[in-house]
Amino acid sequence: MAVRVQEADFDIAAELDALGALDPDVGAVVSFTGLVRGSGITAMTLEHYPGMTEKALEAIEAEAMGRWPLQGATIIHRVGELAPGARIVLVAVASRHRGAAFEAAEFLMDYLKTRAPFWKKETAEDGTARWVDARETDTSAADRWANHKNAHSHR
Amino acid sequence: MKVLYFAWLRERIGVGSEDVDPPETVATVGDLVAWLAAREARYAAAFEDISAIKVAVDQEQADFDAPITGVREVALFPPVTGG
């Protein structure tokens, strides 16, 4: 299990290689990378709640480890000012089979988006800045996991 | 007790965190918000739409009816938008 909140960029290949090398039983590594959508903006600034952010991410990761038979999981979230196209977030999981890995990766992102204390502020091309509004679709995406029947609970 | 504000709440109030010492009658997060709003116009303006504000008590998600007696840290912020 690994959770990191940092200003620096991350090396996707190195992170995925490390997950794959955790355990000889790992047969699947699934990852999601979030990028700064660049149309109409010149910068994206990520604010967070130091201390609570790490706790929230660790809790989300622990919940995924409990729900799916995972050999490992990595969550890296960047903060500070990011340029269009920059990587914001990496979520990656390792398991024996792809089914659990795909589901767990999606679960981690859905919960991260609704539970981890990060806030995005966009700077537009005319220099004005606005806080990004939370999306109802993110809440409904997270809510569907509450009653999710886990078909991969065998270890 | 430390109170923290994030994103547009921080900007409207003008500080990211402050130490406050509310009277004993201020028992919940909701009471704390009402007490702050009564102090100064900038708080009242920031807390105008309470439905747009989320709460954490000692770095755990909480509600406005959460008790604050003995807690170290209360955070108020808009819905999160990371990822």
Side-chain angles (χ1 to χ4, degrees), chain B residues 23 26 30-48:
Chain B
V26 175
D31 294 343
L32 176 68
V33 168
W35 179 73
L36 289 166
R39 289 205 311 187
E40 278 181 60
R42 61 193 166 111
Y43 292 96
F47 300 143
E48 192 175 12

Side-chain angles (χ1 to χ4, degrees), chain A residues 47 49 118-121 131, chain B residues 7 10-11 73 77-78 81 83:
Chain A
E47 180 171 328
Y49 181 175
F118 293 99
W119 299 273
K120 288 193 183 108
K121 190 178 196 179
W131 292 97
Chain B
R10 171 179 56 73
E11 290 181 342
E73 204 168 286
F77 44 79
T81 56

Side-chain angles (χ1 to χ4, degrees), chain A residues 30-152:
Chain A
V30 166
S31 71
F32 170 86
T33 309
L35 307 177
V36 177
R37 267 189 301 276
S39 57
I41 70 158
T42 57
M44 174 82 82
T45 306
L46 270 293
E47 180 171 328
H48 79 120
Y49 181 175
M52 181 175 171
T53 313
E54 292 81 356
K55 278 193 206 174
L57 294 177
E58 281 165 9
I60 293 164
E61 199 172 77
E63 182 152 356
M65 300 290 284
R67 285 187 179 219
W68 287 276
L70 306 178
Q71 264 76 29
T74 298
I75 303 175
I76 305 174
H77 204 299
R78 296 179 69 192
V79 293
E81 187 175 316
L82 302 176
R87 287 179 276 271
I88 301 177
V89 61
L90 174 71
V91 156
V93 296
S95 64
R96 289 175 63 89
H97 302 289
R98 71 184 184 284
F102 274 119
E103 282 190 6
E106 193 167 22
F107 168 88
L108 286 172
M109 274 313 298
D110 287 344
Y111 268 41
L112 183 155
K113 277 192 159 284
T114 52
R115 298 187 178 199
F118 293 99
W119 299 273
K120 288 193 183 108
K121 190 178 196 179
E122 293 176 343
T123 305
E125 283 162 350
D126 64 4
T128 58
R130 59 173 281 275
W131 292 97
V132 173
D133 287 327
R135 287 151 49 108
E136 187 56 40
T137 50
D138 287 337
T139 305
S140 49
D143 286 348
R144 77 202 150 105
W145 295 103
N147 299 312
H148 178 73
K149 289 282 178 287
N150 192 336
H152 303 276

